[in-house]
Amino acid sequence: KEADDVKDEL
Amino acid sequence: MNIFRLAGDMTHLLSILVLLLKIYATKSCSGISRKTQELYAIVFVARYLDLFTDFISVYNTFMKVVFIASSLAIVWCMRFHPMVRRSYDRELDTFRHYFLVGASFALALILHEKFTVQEIFWAFSIYLEAVAILPQLVLLQRSGNVDNLTGQYIFFLGAYRAFYILNWIYRYLTEPHFTRWIACVSGVVQTALYADFFYYYFISWKNNSKLKLPA
């Protein structure tokens, strides 16, 4: 998955 | 991670701890909407589908597990714990919350960042979380008096998303390509839904009086 796809927020 | 998001996560965790304290200490869930708790359980399960596929950090994984486990435990308590379930205001908690689930999912099918299962369930969880408090606010209006722990629970629950709005503003200003329109617009709507509750909460705090919502 591209980096910006990963949801880093809860 | 920034201070606003950390404050938001800690406030969110605090709201869950206050609710667990109320249920555990008083063995009662009076004044708490089971429907809202069920919606939150759906929100966390739908949002954290990436729990096993994307590892962000120990903190991120730990908090996801805590949110999923606590929301499911609260729903379980309200449905099956013999002492707790007896105090559930069944006749007051009548909001047709399945409409909220349907509408949020329909909206997620239309408005999402990418047309993939994970992204659609993520958008669905964002929209559902924005309206999940409605059954709880309706129940409060009907039950009139609000016990302290319930009032604090709802206050922290509303405050956490307000911190997230500051987080999104901060990230928008500091990170070049940061845009989270779905979460941000939905978060503003979510926080706005608490506006009148915050007003009456502030009034009761200022007058040091019991929190009462006008029927």
Side-chain angles (χ1 to χ4, degrees):
Chain A
K1 285 169 71 169
E2 292 87 61
D4 68 334
D5 268 2
V6 175
K7 303 272 186 282
D8 62 345
E9 296 181 344
L10 289 171
Chain B
M1 173 61 83
N2 59 64
I3 188 65
F4 303 112
R5 184 142 67 93
L6 186 61
D9 291 342
M10 292 304 105
T11 306
H12 193 186
L13 185 62
L14 188 57
S15 75
I16 292 170
L17 294 178
V18 166
L19 180 55
L20 285 169
L21 172 70
K22 171 200 163 60
I23 291 178
Y24 181 75
T26 66
K27 288 290 183 284
S28 155
C29 64
S30 67
I32 300 297
S33 162
R34 188 174 74 196
K35 298 189 174 195
T36 284
Q37 298 311 316
E38 286 167 358
L39 292 179
Y40 279 130
I42 296 170
V43 164
F44 292 134
V45 169
R47 185 173 304 175
Y48 301 148
L49 293 176
D50 63 348
L51 178 63
F52 301 110
T53 54
D54 296 337
F55 177 79
I56 311 271
S57 68
V58 173
Y59 170 81
N60 186 273
T61 301
F62 174 73
M63 293 296 276
K64 286 176 176 177
V65 170
V66 166
F67 287 158
I68 291 174
S70 58
S71 60
L72 291 176
I74 286 163
V75 169
W76 184 87
C77 262
M78 293 186 76
R79 277 190 174 276
F80 304 111
H81 185 289
M83 288 277 282
V84 175
R85 66 192 300 266
R86 227 193 343 257
S87 58
Y88 170 50
D89 306 324
R90 181 182 308 275
E91 66 289 338
L92 288 178
D93 194 17
T94 57
F95 196 100
R96 291 216 284 269
H97 62 321
Y98 290 118
F99 276 124
L100 298 176
V101 176
S104 303
F105 197 78
L107 185 59
L109 287 175
I110 301 163
L111 263 181
H112 42 261
E113 284 175 6
K114 272 195 169 177
F115 197 76
T116 65
V117 170
Q118 204 156 345
E119 285 290 337
I120 286 174
F121 272 92
W122 179 79
F124 162 62
S125 79
I126 292 289
Y127 301 137
L128 186 58
E129 185 187 1
V131 293
I133 197 63
L134 285 173
Q136 177 65 62
L137 294 178
V138 165
L139 190 147
L140 284 193
Q141 301 264 351
R142 294 201 178 128
S143 61
N145 65 327
V146 182
D147 69 73
N148 287 345
L149 283 172
T150 304
Q152 282 153 10
Y153 163 65
I154 297 171
F155 174 77
F156 289 128
L157 199 52
Y160 114 82
R161 215 60 180 167
F163 278 121
Y164 256 77
I165 291 170
L166 298 178
N167 152 66
W168 289 316
I169 293 169
Y170 175 83
R171 291 189 77 176
Y172 181 76
L173 294 176
T174 55
E175 296 173 29
H177 307 294
F178 180 80
T179 50
R180 277 276 168 82
W181 293 119
I182 288 178
C184 196
V185 171
S186 193
V188 169
V189 168
Q190 178 171 335
T191 308
L193 287 177
Y194 286 78
D196 69 333
F197 172 82
F198 282 145
Y199 170 73
Y200 291 111
Y201 193 79
F202 173 71
I203 297 291
S204 79
W205 170 76
K206 199 160 67 78
N207 304 339
N208 198 13
S209 62
K210 196 87 178 119
L211 173 60
K212 278 193 71 61
L213 295 178

